[in-house]
Amino acid sequence: MKKFGLILAGGIAAIIILANLGSLLALAISVAILYLVFKQFIKSGGWEKAAWGIVGAVLLIISIGNIPAIIAVAAAYVLYLVYKNWNKSKSNIIDEKQDPFANFEKQWSDITKKN
């Protein structure tokens, strides 16, 4: 049943990513250009700073216009979680080295064997 849920979640996430691929690409391009504009804004001074600020504001509005891409990024994260949890086993086997009672049990068995 767990695998069915993972397949279902992964399939839905993949469909969402494919449906929003265009806006995801537009968001990536606009954020990359916005980063470059921000770097130029920091380096410049005076009226150049105002010009870079206007260009940055326009690019920020374009980036905000790609809201469906944020849903696609969330779906990509869900797809990553499905991939990560695919082969995870349910059993919780306690390692004997980490079990605090393993040493006690060994000593108790030694004591009972001697008597």
Side-chain angles (χ1 to χ4, degrees):
M1 191 67 179
K2 180 181 175 188
K3 295 278 186 181
F4 177 73
L6 288 174
I7 289 172
L8 186 66
I12 292 171
I15 290 170
I16 290 172
I17 290 171
L18 290 175
N20 295 314
L21 201 57
S23 64
L24 191 62
L25 184 65
L27 179 69
I29 291 170
S30 65
V31 167
I33 295 172
L34 185 62
Y35 174 73
L36 295 174
V37 167
F38 177 73
K39 293 294 260 183
Q40 290 297 322
F41 178 79
I42 297 297
K43 290 180 186 177
S44 65
W47 64 271
E48 292 175 341
K49 199 167 241 190
W52 284 117
I54 292 170
V55 172
V58 169
L59 283 170
L60 186 63
I61 292 170
I62 291 171
S63 298
I64 291 172
N66 292 313
I67 291 294
I70 295 171
I71 297 169
V73 170
Y77 180 69
V78 168
L79 199 59
Y80 167 73
L81 289 178
V82 167
Y83 175 75
K84 186 177 173 185
N85 291 323
W86 184 257
N87 288 326
K88 198 180 257 189
S89 64
K90 278 181 127 178
S91 64
N92 294 330
I93 299 172
I94 298 174
D95 188 15
E96 194 171 315
K97 294 175 186 174
Q98 295 177 353
D99 187 14
F101 299 106
N103 191 28
F104 172 76
E105 291 172 1
K106 286 180 185 177
Q107 288 178 352
W108 183 257
S109 66
D110 289 343
I111 291 172
T112 54
K113 285 181 185 178
K114 290 180 183 177
N115 292 333

